[in-house]
Amino acid sequence: MSWLGHGNLVMNCDRQWLSAALVSFLVACAGGAAAQERQAEYQLGSGDNIRITVYQNPDLTMETRVTENGTISYPLVGTVAVGGMTIPAAEQAVARALRDGNFIRQPQVNISLLQIRGNQVSVLGAVSRAGRFPLETAETRLSEILAIAGGISATGADVVILTGSRAGKPIRKEIDVPGMFLDKKLEEDVIVAAGDVIYVHSQPMFYIYGQVQRAGSYRVERGMTVRQALAQGGGLSARGTERGLRIFRRGANGQVGASSPDLGDLVRPGDVLYVQESLF
């Protein structure tokens, strides 16, 4: 290879490296901008740890914690209410307190979020990642929190339970998550609040045994019929008969009763299906 050709190869490699570096830089900038935007929208809550700095006033730099009543203690001005404020609004509140107290004429305040402890929602039960998750905005909905928790697991129920408080009163709400979208009940996708607990119970099961191909326990699907339940068990064995089908179900009084169901009847959680052997 000639020196000129080698030089062109080096230049092409340099251009490729620069292009890759530029793409990485732009992606990093976009990710950083998105993170800054999310932090700007976040509302401070009790337990959050923050750092406050004032331009050209290093003595006023401090780390503090938002108290249970949503306030912080800050030098010179004393107590400042920041709970429920976005970070830009909290910066303005501290700057206003410094200005109104005639401590600094034109204070430039910067607040950075060190650790999120407040404004969190707990997600428990049959989800991919149970835990506590921060509310990044005041309009975070149930579906978003479930997505952050990795979604409902394969063993999770369709109906989730949300508990918390609104206007000082406790609430409890059962929400059919697939129904929000399949049945267009979007009003059920409620806005969650700090302190809410979302619990996802295990999916209800039914049980089938006797003269079927695959006896065992299976999840009760939405709108499942007895015919579909039999199919889930692989259908009848060579010695099974639909006439010998019995369903055992617990009634409202707690007693278990037996009946001969129609194939179009709906299966309920906890049902036990038994297929008897054909007599001839």
Side-chain angles (χ1 to χ4, degrees), residues 44 50 52 54 70-72 74-75 77-101 103 107-111:
L44 294 171
I50 60 176
I52 305 174
V54 181
T71 63
I72 58 171
Y74 193 64
V77 299
T79 300
V80 181
V82 298
M85 291 184 178
T86 62
I87 290 178
E91 291 171 342
Q92 293 175 11
V94 174
R96 185 167 51 250
L98 290 170
R99 186 174 54 250
D100 293 348
F103 300 112
Q108 298 181 33
V109 178
N110 178 266
I111 294 178

Side-chain angles (χ1 to χ4, degrees), residues 20 24 30 36 39 71 85 111 119 125 136-137 150 171 188 191 211 215 218 237 244 254 256-257 261 277:
S24 299
Q36 288 179 353
Q39 189 174 96
T71 63
M85 291 184 178
I111 294 178
N119 286 343
E136 296 184 345
T137 70
I171 64 163
E188 293 290 294
I191 295 174
Q211 296 302 319
Y218 300 91
S237 69
V256 176
E277 183 177 358

Side-chain angles (χ1 to χ4, degrees), residues 131-246:
R132 300 183 68 194
F133 303 95
L135 299 177
E136 296 184 345
T137 70
E139 300 294 322
T140 304
R141 296 189 176 274
L142 172 67
S143 59
E144 296 176 279
I145 288 294
L146 289 175
I148 293 172
I152 297 174
S153 67
T155 60
D158 291 342
V159 176
V160 304
I161 301 172
L162 182 145
T163 59
S165 63
R166 299 293 186 274
K169 298 181 179 179
I171 64 163
R172 182 184 186 278
K173 188 175 181 65
E174 295 186 5
I175 302 171
D176 181 0
V177 175
M180 293 191 305
F181 306 100
L182 297 176
D183 303 329
K184 299 181 180 180
K185 296 180 179 179
L186 297 181
E187 69 278 2
E188 293 290 294
D189 195 9
V190 296
I191 295 174
V192 295
D196 282 354
V197 177
I198 299 167
Y199 176 69
V200 182
H201 193 53
S202 298
Q203 173 68 28
M205 309 292 287
F206 75 92
Y207 309 87
I208 184 169
Y209 72 110
Q211 296 302 319
V212 292
Q213 301 290 340
R214 295 190 302 272
S217 58
Y218 300 91
R219 69 180 277 154
V220 179
E221 302 292 348
R222 182 181 296 266
M224 173 177 277
T225 63
V226 172
R227 181 182 288 106
Q228 291 171 324
L230 287 174
Q232 192 83 316
L236 303 180
S237 69
R239 294 189 295 180
T241 173
E242 290 181 0
R243 293 192 301 273
L245 176 62
R246 297 290 183 271

